[in-house]
Amino acid sequence: MNATPSPPPPVSVIMPVLNEERHLRASVRHILEQEYDGEMEVVIALGPSTDRTDEIAAELVREDPRVHTVPNPTGRTPAALNAAIKASHHPIVVRVDGHGLLSPNYIATAVRLLEETGAQNVGGIMHAEGENDWEHAVAAAMTSRIGVGNAAFHTGGEAGPAETVYLGVFRREALEQQGGYNEEFIRAQDWELNFRIREAGGLIWFSPELRVRYRPRPSVRALAKQYKDYGRWRHVVARYHQGSINLRYLAPPTAVVAMAAGIVVGATLTPLGFVVPAGYLAAITAGSVPAGKGLPLKARLRIPVALATMHMSWGYGFLTSPRSLAKKVIASRRPAVVRTAA
């Protein structure tokens, strides 16, 4: 007589949310409609939003008993994640952002991969999709090699062990063992937590089977701030963990320095200096052609602007990242906690 298969493990979905009125309802709907037979809860950590986010979250709580909220008065992402983890209960913890849309079988696939690989955390592709010409352009830039290099969670790749992954589906025991997220890491908190998990001997696993649709920032200014913060915190990571930097991360700050030097030389010494910025503009314009394949003309014309905004903002953030910030973060360093055998 065949044994009855055990039910899938229950999962807790945690969401740090701040000013997400535009996407929150759709994001939660994609969670609640997952093709997953196990029990589920959704815990939304609410920052001090200035739009209708709190009102929408309250509506979602009234509409579905699986949805709950917790306060996050600091508005910081790692604090929100820790608050949501503390308020949740299930052995599998799924991180989702307020502007992320899970593919229908995301949770079921992630739970299967955790079982198959023995990993402590699995994650996949951040698949950027836009809703207008500008967002289409940013999405094309964010999923192209000229925009983000060879980052697997942006451009895809083979399944296998990874340094970090986008968002993540964790075993709760790994989160609790490491004491959750380091709240000093306002950005790059995923990398830092995954670093500690790996230091403790845990496996982080990337799989292209896992896809999350991501909505890009809606304006040049918002995109510039996002990428300036990315660059700023990537330099903090480089100082926090020597040896974690590579040529891909050095390309944007090198481009910023070269562009600035070329403009200064061109304006003060010789017009030949303008060859550098002209060459860069020609390169991103040429690179935008394959990146924009299939998009409307207005979107394709905006791709070079998106690429330049991403590169220059990231590079500027990296170059201006203060050592004092890195020192503060290094002082908060948590050693990896290795579980000892009983």
Side-chain angles (χ1 to χ4, degrees):
M1 186 173 179
N2 293 332
T4 302
S6 57
V11 301
S12 298
V13 181
I14 58 172
M15 301 182 69
V17 168
L18 180 68
N19 292 327
E20 290 288 359
E21 68 172 1
R22 185 178 171 196
H23 301 300
L24 180 58
R25 179 170 287 279
S27 183
V28 172
R29 177 171 55 81
H30 278 74
I31 296 167
L32 298 176
E33 294 178 357
Q34 283 286 295
E35 297 169 359
Y36 188 68
D37 295 331
E39 185 181 348
M40 182 190 303
E41 65 175 350
V42 181
V43 181
I44 304 172
L46 294 171
S49 295
T50 56
D51 61 9
R52 293 184 59 251
T53 295
D54 287 10
E55 181 182 335
I56 294 169
E59 292 172 358
L60 292 167
V61 170
R62 290 194 296 269
E63 293 166 7
D64 196 303
R66 293 173 292 178
V67 181
H68 314 278
T69 61
V70 293
N72 173 36
T74 69
R76 293 184 172 187
T77 299
L81 291 166
N82 284 342
I85 291 167
K86 185 176 180 180
S88 64
H89 306 91
H90 297 322
I92 305 297
V93 179
V94 182
R95 176 182 171 177
V96 182
D97 284 343
H99 46 271
L101 305 175
L102 301 185
S103 54
N105 63 347
Y106 181 89
I107 292 177
T109 301
V111 170
R112 172 177 60 80
L113 289 171
L114 284 173
E115 179 64 26
E116 290 177 353
T117 65
Q120 300 300 305
N121 180 22
V122 299
I125 295 175
M126 174 183 173
H127 184 69
E129 291 183 357
E131 295 181 322
N132 54 45
D133 289 331
W134 167 249
E135 291 181 4
H136 286 314
V138 176
M142 292 180 70
T143 53
S144 67
R145 291 191 180 276
I146 192 172
V148 294
N150 61 351
F153 70 83
H154 281 295
T155 60
E158 296 292 327
E163 182 180 85
T164 190
V165 291
Y166 178 56
L167 301 179
V169 177
F170 298 84
R171 298 180 190 271
R172 176 178 293 275
E173 61 191 26
L175 294 173
E176 293 180 345
Q177 181 179 331
Q178 299 306 325
Y181 290 84
N182 184 335
E183 295 186 14
E184 292 297 333
F185 273 81
I186 299 174
R187 297 286 185 273
Q189 64 276 155
D190 300 290
W191 180 92
E192 193 277 336
L193 174 58
N194 285 319
F195 173 68
R196 281 185 282 130
I197 291 174
R198 288 187 292 108
E199 270 199 324
L203 174 65
I204 310 300
W205 188 265
F206 166 81
S207 174
E209 291 184 78
L210 297 172
R211 293 171 68 89
V212 181
R213 289 159 58 196
Y214 168 88
R215 298 304 191 201
R217 295 297 193 270
S219 67
V220 174
R221 182 176 180 179
L223 182 68
K225 182 182 185 306
Q226 177 187 17
Y227 271 78
K228 185 189 77 172
D229 288 345
Y230 283 172
R232 177 186 176 99
W233 281 90
R234 183 64 235 190
H235 206 161
V236 171
V237 166
R239 288 166 170 156
Y240 180 92
H241 176 47
Q242 294 184 0
S244 68
I245 205 72
N246 59 40
L247 292 178
R248 175 166 68 89
Y249 297 123
L250 294 177
T254 300
V256 170
V257 171
M259 290 277 285
I263 292 171
V264 170
V265 170
T268 60
L269 299 177
T270 171
L272 291 176
F274 292 119
V275 169
V276 175
Y280 171 76
L281 294 174
I284 62 173
T285 300
S288 70
V289 174
K293 187 177 180 181
L295 291 179
L297 177 61
K298 289 183 178 180
R300 295 202 303 271
L301 292 175
R302 287 167 170 78
I303 295 175
V305 178
L307 288 169
T309 302
M310 290 161 57
H311 294 163
M312 295 298 106
S313 300
W314 202 103
Y316 176 79
F318 188 94
L319 291 169
T320 59
S321 181
R323 286 187 176 273
S324 58
L325 179 60
K327 288 180 180 178
K328 180 181 180 182
V329 167
I330 291 169
S332 73
R333 185 191 296 267
R334 298 180 185 179
V337 179
V338 180
R339 187 179 298 280
T340 57

